[in-house]
Amino acid sequence: MVTRTGIAGLTLSGGLGWLRRKHGLSVDNLIGAEVVTASGDVVRASAGENEDLFWALRGGGGNFGVVTSFEYRLHPVGPEVHLCFVLYPAERAGEVLGACAEHLDRLAEPAAPLGVLGHVPEADEFPADAHGDPYVALLCVYPGDAGEGESALAPLRGMGGEIADLSGRMPFVEAQGALDEDYPDGLRYYWKSINLGGLSDAVVDELVARNDAAPSSHSTIDVWFQGGAMAEVGETETAFANRGSPYLLGVEGNWEDAADDDANVEWVRGTFAAMRPHSDGGVYLNFPGFQEEGEELMRAGYGPNYERLARVKAEYDPENLFRLNPNVAPAS
Ligand SMILES: Cc1cc2nc3c(=O)[nH]c(=O)nc-3n(C[C@H](O)[C@H](O)[C@H](O)COP(=O)(O)OP(=O)(O)OC[C@H]3O[C@@H](n4cnc5c(N)ncnc54)[C@H](O)[C@@H]3O)c2cc1C
């Protein structure tokens, strides 16, 4: 949901966007690809050509070759959409996230919200007396008519006591860039992710406490609402696994000074560890930050698809040339 990262890595490890509950993951909209393999061959992968490779590319990351072109299925969107972007005090996280989850079932269009816990930036859009306060935010693009979206998402903005409401109509491409300025070059980043089976009171209380304890005010904890179209694709239909999980948690350590590296990395790892008992399995391999934990976590990421991925890897990259990635070792 930023405009400056690449489409290749995004697609090969899944691709979560504003339309994931309506049209699925980026990978679910991949029709074909051209790949330069480890042996230097140029091959096409699609439903009718090199089917194993096509299956593996849809979630298996950069393990199978260098993709030199992607062909996608397109969908009409907007061009104008409604973006809900509202911040409430973080101590109301349970109420706000819970109301959002309930409201989703009432919508005519399958919107895909993002809940964010963070600290109010010192910027003019936010009231000065709230700067630095912990917040819980709801962000959501309505994937239908903009006017309908404004009224459909109004309850998310109407809970009262908001810190700020930055919602509005805008071209979809502008909504895509709504978070761009939160990720400037030069900041230091360390992220992890883990799927959650639910948002119990215990989970939300822990997230609020972890947000309070973040060593950097730039850091956030993100709650991605999943399901919808991305969960309608079969678990082994593509390499991307753990499709049934209702939430993905992203723990984003974002900070300025190298002297603070240890404290911030520790905060991300501690938050991840605290959430593990609440996970229904799986991590998102586009927010990796965990290669140091090795094959066990890769197996968690790929679930029932790991063994087949290892076999396809052995066919296309038996020497593991493409290994500087969340790596699938070739089956022996
Ligand atoms: C600020 C920020 C916001 C993000 N927001 C989202 C989001 O909203 N949704 C989401 O799903 N993800 C998001 N991501 C994660 C993003 O999907 C990954 O960082 C992804 O890897 C970016 O793709 P890239 O092409 O820039 O990858 P790169 O950093 O260039 O490469 C990462 C890896 O991808 C593989 N790769 C890249 N290009 C190719 C290729 N042509 N052929 C084969 N393998 C290749 C390689 O293994 C490579 O090591 C975000 C990341 C950042 C930094």
Side-chain angles (χ1 to χ4, degrees):
M1 296 173 192
V2 296
T3 57
R4 295 172 62 204
T5 53
I7 200 169
L10 170 93
T11 302
L12 293 169
S13 286
L16 293 164
W18 291 122
L19 306 175
R20 64 190 175 278
R21 297 185 76 247
K22 181 165 182 177
H23 296 304
L25 301 164
S26 305
V27 87
D28 298 331
N29 293 286
L30 186 65
I31 298 170
E34 184 185 77
V35 185
V36 181
T37 66
S39 59
D41 294 330
V42 180
V43 300
R44 279 266 316 162
S46 68
E49 304 153 283
N50 298 302
E51 293 88 345
D52 264 0
L53 179 60
F54 184 53
W55 174 86
L57 290 176
R58 288 175 291 158
N63 275 287
F64 302 95
V66 177
V67 180
T68 49
S69 76
F70 293 89
E71 190 184 339
Y72 295 96
R73 184 176 304 114
L74 300 181
H75 306 276
V77 183
E80 204 180 47
V81 293
H82 176 74
L83 170 72
C84 164
F85 191 168
V86 60
L87 287 78
Y88 295 99
E91 69 258 22
R92 292 175 61 195
E95 170 202 346
V96 169
L97 295 171
C100 181
E102 267 180 37
H103 190 61
L104 281 191
D105 293 336
R106 299 186 202 115
L107 296 175
E109 292 280 356
L114 180 68
V116 180
L117 287 145
H119 290 85
V120 178
E122 291 178 19
D124 293 344
E125 299 96 301
F126 305 101
D129 60 357
H131 287 176
D133 288 354
Y135 69 74
V136 58
L138 290 177
L139 286 83
C140 184
V141 167
Y142 190 75
D145 175 76
E148 184 188 312
E150 200 160 350
S151 42
L153 300 184
L156 302 183
R157 302 162 54 201
M159 293 183 228
E162 66 274 9
I163 295 171
D165 186 353
L166 310 178
S167 309
R169 283 188 191 200
M170 62 194 74
F172 182 62
V173 289
E174 195 181 316
Q176 287 281 57
L179 299 178
D180 277 357
E181 61 185 48
D182 292 337
Y183 301 99
D185 291 346
L187 219 60
R188 303 176 78 77
Y189 300 98
Y190 182 75
W191 299 2
K192 279 179 181 287
S193 68
I194 188 164
N195 281 322
L196 291 180
L199 291 177
S200 65
D201 291 347
V203 166
V204 175
D205 289 349
E206 180 72 29
L207 295 181
V208 170
R210 293 271 161 188
N211 182 50
D212 284 348
S216 165
S217 63
H218 299 300
S219 294
T220 61
I221 300 175
D222 304 340
V223 179
W224 298 72
F225 287 70
Q226 302 192 120
M230 66 177 279
E232 283 160 17
V233 177
E235 186 71 350
T236 57
E237 228 173 290
T238 66
F240 188 92
N242 303 301
R243 286 175 173 272
S245 194
Y247 301 101
L248 173 74
L249 195 75
V251 187
E252 292 192 8
N254 310 326
W255 69 101
E256 290 177 26
D257 192 341
D260 300 326
D261 284 2
D262 287 350
N264 284 280
V265 169
E266 206 174 294
W267 174 77
V268 174
R269 290 182 175 167
T271 306
F272 177 77
M275 286 299 122
R276 272 187 120 157
H278 304 286
S279 176
D280 57 350
V283 295
Y284 182 41
L285 295 166
N286 259 330
F287 302 140
F290 46 61
Q291 277 104 321
E292 72 276 11
E293 291 173 61
E295 188 182 313
E296 187 195 334
L297 222 47
M298 292 301 294
R299 284 183 180 271
Y302 288 119
N305 296 326
Y306 186 86
E307 304 297 343
R308 183 174 173 193
L309 275 169
R311 288 197 299 277
V312 182
K313 176 79 172 177
E315 188 183 342
Y316 285 93
D317 184 15
E319 304 299 325
N320 207 0
L321 176 69
F322 302 112
R323 62 184 174 280
L324 301 178
N325 45 39
N327 194 234
V328 177
S332 55

